[in-house]
Amino acid sequence: MPTWLLILIVGIILLVLGFTGVAEILIWIGIAVLVVSLILALLGRGKSTRV
């Protein structure tokens, strides 16, 4: 399971339980990790096709 997905799931569970401050931080961290990993994957794919 990807790290960003685990962070988002924990954040959503904490949000449901009422820990909104911690949950919002974890959700934003999960989104940031997802975006960074997508950008790195796209950049890596672009470099591998250009020989």
Side-chain angles (χ1 to χ4, degrees):
M1 203 179 242
T3 305
W4 61 268
L5 187 57
L6 288 174
I7 294 172
L8 283 176
I9 291 172
V10 171
I12 291 170
I13 291 171
L14 288 175
L15 188 66
V16 170
L17 292 176
F19 297 100
T20 55
V22 177
E24 287 182 10
I25 291 170
L26 285 178
I27 290 172
W28 282 112
I29 290 173
I31 292 171
V33 170
L34 170 64
V35 170
V36 168
S37 64
L38 286 175
I39 291 172
L40 290 176
L42 289 174
L43 290 176
R45 182 179 301 170
K47 286 184 179 179
S48 65
T49 57
R50 297 178 191 167
V51 176

